[in-house]
Amino acid sequence: MTKFEALGLNSALLNAITDLGFETPSEVQEKSIPILLEDETDLVALAQTGTGKTAAFGFPLIQKIDSNSRTTQGLILSPTRELCLQITNEMQLYSKYVQGLNTVAIYGGASITEQARQIKRGAQIVVATPGRMKDMIGRGIIDISKIDYCILDEADEMLNMGFYEDIKDILSNTPKEKSTWLFSATMPKEVATIAKKFMHHPKEITVGTKNSGVDTVQHEYYLVGGRDRYSALKRLSDANPGIFSVVFCRTKRDTQKVAEKLIEDGYNAGALHGDLSQNQRDLVMNAFRKKQIQMLVATDVAARGIDVDDITHVINYQLPDEIETYTHRSGRTGRAGKSGISMVIITRSELRKIHAIEKKIKQNFIAKKIPSGIEICEIQLYHLANKIRTTEINEEVNHYLPAIHDVLEGMDRDELIQKIVSVEFTRFYNYYNKTKDLNSVEPDRREKNKGASDDFSSNGSVRYFINVGERDGYDWMSLKDFLKDTLQLDKNDLFRVDVKESFSFFNSEAALKDQILETFTDFKVNGRFVNVEVSDSPEGGRRRRDKGAKGKRDGRDRNKSKGKKREGSFSKGGSRRSGTKQVTSSGNRRSKKRDGFY
Ligand code: ADP
Ligand code: MG
């Protein structure tokens, strides 16, 4: 007997499960399926994204539906069109051996007539987004007065997106005697309220820890002058070469403008807002999902449909008007057990909003500095070196190698390396060299964020460079844990942990410096040297002492030149995926254009 069989599933489902290649039930499936099969009960099931909740309710639902009757018996509400389609697809796969069972998807942005036709043909299971569902009930196209099962999937997201009223309306059209199954990744107050109001003594199961969904996100703010917002955005992106982000703007117009400027400046960006057609939005979302777009610039409303799990950064280009909205934005990252960073670009007058948000999210922001131009150059340089190291050799080049060897005749390895990295580095260097410091001075630096804004002053803390990063599987949380455990320190002893692709930075109080450097002398993990050095660039960049030639850099860091140079167009070079380079002469553009249209 397989484990799925032991849960009480029938052969039609077991066959489909075999076809799907599922071998063992996930925890949420193991816990929910027997309960749902045996009892007619309400259920609240909490489990993180990606734990197989769809099958946890899908299998029992399919088994309990009478496929000989054409009456709609099961309604699944889900927050977005994408999820709705995904669930429908899964349900169809699960029920492929159940004769006559029909699952139909109901969602906005597509022909209502066609959906009505499908319903009319008979759909025992309907998967719907709340908005379209309400619409169809209103038009009398769909009858849910005889359903036996109502499933609220991703309930936290639905409530996040403001569907409470719609859900209430929809439920009022369902019979009293039915079972309601609520599935959610988190259990915020709002979900608890729904459970209390619309459910009857629900059984409750929890998989893993009940996460509130916020503790995996680090919140950071960057204080800049109002006109420097756009430049700051670019620097934040350049300082995080692997970024995969949603950039939130307040209006459709700003969204479009920021996206256009980013594209013009050579970034892999796209806009998502309500003035686009459904088709355009689908194109953008598909490109984003495939990571062809690294920076998705979106309005709050349009971003509701985003169900992408590995977003590394949420960037608040402007803060939203409502604090509530901020939590929805930042919740786009740090999903599925991963960590994420929510960055806010603000001006001084908005500082008090940060305090209000901190109260709401019960988490402190870290005041961070926009990286200086030279730091970005450094980060990009290591990124490039890393890319060279990991690039797969294309055998097609072999053919040209003899000729290329002729061209490069007489250069030694060092010179060759210098030249290769200079090709790209010089573009960044020319662009960022002498650009000004974008950071606005915060009048009341808060002590509680120790090490956050002022920690590089002489009396403060020490910044370190460590030669492990994302490539070694670290994010800021896991690196912090690793350091904390290795150094046997308290988690508050380490701060400003910044993980880049192949290296990272972190801070400690000055008093811990010797201990830290000592611990990491000849320190190996899995046979590889893990090296920690003091970084003498205050904001994270590293200057190696043994490369004296760059020693004058501090001067360049600040804007030494009298004429204030603003950051204009800079081409990062096309899609990083395809590796094509689109070299734009940034110098020319810079003279013509000014950025920061705020
Ligand atoms: P959730 O709703 O909890 O975010 P999903 O139901 O979307 O998760 O499932 C995530 C993925 O895991 C899907 O691709 C699904 O097909 C797969 N999956 C679900 N259950 C199992 C299982 N028991 N074994 C293997 N894969 C599974
Ligand atoms: Mg799900």
Side-chain angles (χ1 to χ4, degrees):
M1 191 152 86
T2 67
K3 279 199 163 178
F4 279 107
E5 211 173 339
L7 298 180
L9 295 171
N10 64 26
S11 60
L13 280 160
L14 292 173
N15 289 338
I17 290 168
T18 308
D19 288 356
L20 283 161
F22 293 3
E23 281 169 8
T24 42
S26 68
E27 199 182 337
V28 67
Q29 292 163 3
E30 202 156 25
K31 287 185 171 167
S32 331
I33 294 171
I35 296 179
L36 297 178
L37 284 178
E38 277 158 32
D39 297 336
E40 289 305 326
T41 178
D42 285 359
L43 175 81
V44 172
L46 300 179
Q48 288 209 334
T49 311
T51 51
K53 292 192 288 297
T54 317
F57 61 75
F59 291 166
L61 180 65
I62 290 167
Q63 187 153 329
K64 292 190 139 189
I65 292 285
D66 175 6
S67 58
N68 295 315
S69 154
R70 283 170 31 140
T71 312
T72 299
Q73 301 156 55
L75 170 66
I76 302 168
L77 289 177
S78 124
T80 66
R81 162 197 156 95
E82 279 80 11
L83 281 172
C84 182
L85 287 167
Q86 209 171 300
I87 295 166
T88 307
N89 184 44
E90 294 266 316
M91 296 301 282
Q92 285 164 350
L93 290 172
Y94 303 163
S95 64
K96 67 194 255 203
Y97 297 113
V98 182
Q99 284 284 322
L101 182 69
N102 253 330
T103 303
V104 167
I106 299 295
Y107 51 90
S111 156
I112 199 163
T113 339
E114 175 51 31
Q115 290 174 358
R117 199 172 301 142
Q118 290 185 24
I119 295 289
K120 217 168 160 198
R121 267 189 240 134
Q124 293 93 342
I125 299 175
V126 171
V127 188
T129 53
R132 175 58 66 96
M133 187 65 201
K134 209 183 127 188
D135 193 2
M136 291 185 79
I137 294 171
R139 298 187 195 202
I141 305 174
I142 195 165
D143 176 15
I144 51 168
S145 66
K146 297 194 185 65
I147 62 167
D148 301 308
Y149 306 99
C150 178
I151 292 126
L152 305 172
D153 190 27
E154 314 276 351
D156 50 353
E157 279 292 305
M158 283 201 283
L159 295 170
N160 260 350
M161 289 167 46
F163 282 135
Y164 179 80
E165 288 299 323
D166 286 354
I167 293 172
K168 208 171 85 181
D169 273 15
I170 293 165
L171 291 178
S172 72
N173 286 279
T174 61
K176 243 194 148 126
E177 313 72 37
K178 66 172 180 303
S179 299
T180 306
W181 306 343
L182 182 151
F183 283 76
S184 186
T186 64
M187 186 71 169
K189 247 191 4 270
E190 295 82 356
V191 175
T193 310
I194 283 252
K196 210 161 148 201
K197 240 185 152 143
F198 300 106
M199 300 174 77
H200 213 72
H201 301 300
K203 294 198 168 151
E204 192 180 316
I205 60 165
T206 304
V207 171
T209 49
K210 276 191 204 184
N211 67 346
S212 58
V214 293
D215 44 1
T216 50
V217 179
Q218 171 164 300
H219 302 265
E220 304 175 347
Y221 71 82
Y222 295 82
L223 196 57
V224 301
R227 290 162 54 101
D228 290 328
R229 258 186 227 276
Y230 180 72
S231 304
L233 174 65
K234 289 206 311 180
R235 284 205 197 176
L236 291 175
S237 167
D238 288 343
N240 293 283
I243 196 167
F244 181 52
S245 62
V246 184
V247 179
F248 283 98
C249 295
R250 233 186 322 228
T251 64
K252 292 181 210 169
R253 194 169 148 264
D254 294 347
T255 302
Q256 185 65 31
K257 262 173 126 180
V258 170
E260 275 172 13
K261 275 197 72 79
L262 285 170
I263 292 166
E264 193 179 313
D265 288 351
Y267 294 83
N268 304 320
L272 191 70
H273 56 72
D275 283 351
L276 303 174
S277 68
Q278 183 65 50
N279 191 31
Q280 284 172 311
R281 271 188 282 175
D282 286 349
L283 282 175
V284 171
M285 275 312 294
N286 282 337
F288 186 56
R289 244 181 237 119
K290 290 189 198 139
K291 305 212 170 141
Q292 288 158 349
I293 286 178
Q294 285 185 294
M295 301 176 82
L296 181 68
V297 191
T299 57
D300 289 296
V301 176
R304 282 178 178 181
I306 299 175
D307 57 335
V308 178
D309 275 341
D310 34 9
I311 291 167
T312 58
H313 295 76
V314 162
I315 303 181
N316 293 263
Y317 186 78
Q318 297 141 330
L319 272 177
D321 291 325
E322 305 279 325
I323 294 179
E324 190 68 22
T325 310
Y326 177 82
T327 60
H328 300 171
R329 288 181 176 185
S330 59
R332 296 284 139 210
T333 184
R335 287 157 67 97
K338 300 195 179 95
S339 66
I341 296 175
S342 173
M343 299 173 154
V344 182
I345 303 174
I346 53 160
T347 58
R348 211 175 298 182
S349 62
E350 296 170 305
L351 257 183
R352 53 186 174 78
K353 284 198 189 168
I354 291 290
H355 302 296
I357 294 172
E358 283 179 331
K359 263 201 204 133
K360 168 85 190 172
I361 63 174
K362 300 194 176 66
Q363 235 181 311
N364 283 341
F365 271 79
I366 300 176
K368 285 227 169 179
K369 298 263 167 192
I370 297 285
S372 68
I374 207 73
E375 277 173 73
I376 289 172
C377 290
E378 230 176 34
I379 288 168
Q380 289 288 346
L381 186 59
Y382 291 121
H383 179 69
L384 173 63
N386 210 49
K387 198 162 138 193
I388 292 174
R389 196 192 171 90
T390 53
T391 290
E392 276 193 36
I393 290 177
N394 183 340
E395 303 292 340
E396 296 298 311
V397 300
N398 292 350
H399 180 63
Y400 305 96
L401 280 184
I404 289 172
H405 276 296
D406 280 350
V407 175
L408 303 178
E409 172 88 57
M411 281 186 204
D412 65 14
R413 183 188 141 92
D414 281 350
E415 189 182 3
L416 209 52
I417 291 176
Q418 271 180 323
K419 291 218 178 201
I420 288 173
V421 297
S422 295
V423 172
E424 186 137 3
F425 180 72
T426 306
R427 293 194 301 117
F428 275 94
Y429 187 81
N430 288 348
Y431 175 67
Y432 273 121
N433 181 25
K434 292 183 187 156
T435 46
K436 65 169 186 160
D437 180 5
L438 294 183
N439 295 292
S440 187
V441 182
E442 185 173 343
D444 93 273
R445 287 208 171 139
R446 289 172 303 161
E447 277 305 305
K448 65 180 171 181
N449 278 338
K450 73 166 171 173
S453 54
D454 209 7
D455 52 14
F456 38 78
S457 62
S458 51
N459 59 1
S461 69
V462 178
R463 186 108 172 120
Y464 306 86
F465 167 93
I466 180 166
N467 65 334
V468 295
E470 279 161 12
R471 275 212 15 223
D472 308 287
Y474 289 106
D475 57 26
W476 64 267
M477 284 200 301
S478 56
L479 182 64
K480 192 166 176 173
D481 283 345
F482 163 74
L483 291 169
K484 187 186 73 162
D485 295 344
T486 307
L487 296 161
Q488 302 191 341
L489 293 174
D490 186 78
K491 72 177 198 305
N492 294 324
D493 291 332
L494 299 160
F495 39 92
R496 289 187 68 213
V497 180
D498 264 338
V499 178
K500 307 294 181 196
E501 197 170 351
S502 56
F503 54 94
S504 310
F505 299 101
F506 64 95
N507 279 42
S508 82
E509 292 301 333
L512 294 167
K513 183 173 126 187
D514 292 343
Q515 183 200 334
I516 291 176
L517 292 179
E518 171 126 19
T519 306
F520 283 102
T521 306
D522 290 332
F523 188 90
K524 274 189 185 176
V525 174
N526 298 331
R528 187 183 143 196
F529 277 108
V530 173
N531 177 28
V532 171
E533 289 175 34
V534 171
S535 161
D536 45 5
S537 161
E539 287 148 40
R542 172 176 76 141
R543 186 177 85 211
R544 295 185 68 116
R545 286 192 183 79
D546 52 354
K547 299 230 167 112
K550 285 200 160 190
K552 291 197 201 94
R553 201 189 58 195
D554 280 357
R556 294 192 201 128
D557 241 292
R558 310 277 118 70
N559 182 16
K560 253 194 161 177
S561 61
K562 282 270 151 41
K564 272 208 180 158
K565 208 167 191 178
R566 297 181 64 82
E567 290 170 33
S569 307
F570 169 70
S571 171
K572 249 178 137 146
S575 151
R576 285 197 195 91
R577 293 221 125 198
S578 63
T580 50
K581 293 280 166 275
Q582 163 200 335
V583 181
T584 316
S585 138
S586 48
N588 286 342
R589 285 210 194 155
R590 202 180 299 146
S591 55
K592 275 187 276 173
K593 273 203 165 140
R594 321 221 100 195
D595 64 359
F597 36 85
Y598 284 94

